[in-house]
Amino acid sequence: MGGCVVTPLIGMKDAALKVLYLQDNQLLAGGLHAGKVIKGEEISVVPNRSLDAKLSPVILGVQGGSQCLSCGTGQEPTLKLEPVNIMELYLSANESKSFTFYRRDTGLTSSFESAAYPGWFLCTVLEADQPLRLTQLSEDGSWDNPITDFYFQQCD
């Protein structure tokens, strides 16, 4: 591991191979725009050291870690990017649960469950160019069959 804390940067795609990209301060999942392939946003990842390491708690950042994904603190989770530095969250003694997701690896893909809102997962929808959001997995598979599995590739 060589003492490197931050998983440098990773490209993230949903199971339908749509890339995550930033537009108007929102992460969207898409593929082509006007015939051009979209370059995906590089995602910074650090562990949350305040929570149980066995659950693989991670904090996800964009724009070099200057903004982090948060589920908010309301009654219901609201996914948004907050202008918080990922290294400050990493070094902080606070739990930072609203910024933390439990990474679950399932074969080639991973899913991300909110630490602050158990049972809520990061997801995309089948339609392209829609925002990354949160969903509760339901038994009946309603709500447009959200895609909760993501592929990663390490960026050079």
Side-chain angles (χ1 to χ4, degrees):
M1 289 288 282
C4 182
V5 179
V6 181
T7 295
L9 294 165
I10 53 178
M12 209 166 148
K13 293 179 179 171
D14 69 11
L17 301 182
K18 294 191 300 292
V19 296
L20 297 185
Y21 66 96
L22 201 56
Q23 184 177 309
D24 301 328
N25 208 36
Q26 251 191 334
L27 272 176
L28 306 180
L32 291 171
H33 260 285
K36 287 198 201 89
V37 175
I38 300 168
K39 182 181 177 345
E41 180 68 23
E42 293 180 333
I43 310 288
S44 306
V45 181
V46 296
N48 181 328
R49 301 180 310 160
S50 306
L51 299 172
D52 186 351
K54 289 196 283 296
L55 299 172
S56 299
V58 295
I59 298 167
L60 304 171
V62 297
Q63 296 196 304
S66 64
Q67 296 189 72
C68 293
L69 269 181
S70 162
C71 295
T73 54
Q75 288 284 324
E76 293 265 300
T78 307
L79 192 67
K80 57 184 179 259
L81 284 170
E82 292 196 29
V84 177
N85 186 293
I86 196 167
M87 289 312 292
E88 284 175 26
L89 292 173
Y90 172 74
L91 295 168
S92 166
N94 298 337
E95 277 192 331
S96 307
K97 273 192 170 178
S98 64
F99 292 99
T100 305
F101 297 89
Y102 294 124
R103 178 177 170 176
R104 301 222 171 96
D105 295 329
T106 46
L108 298 173
T109 60
S110 300
S111 64
F112 295 88
E113 182 179 13
S114 168
Y117 298 91
W120 288 83
F121 290 82
L122 282 182
C123 74
T124 60
V125 292
L126 287 171
E127 198 182 328
D129 307 313
Q130 295 300 307
L132 186 67
R133 56 184 86 174
L134 291 159
T135 185
Q136 278 184 301
L137 296 181
S138 60
E139 295 304 310
D140 63 1
S142 60
W143 197 77
D144 299 337
N145 291 326
I147 300 168
T148 57
D149 293 322
F150 295 89
Y151 290 102
F152 280 118
Q153 70 197 54
Q154 210 108 4
C155 299
D156 301 325

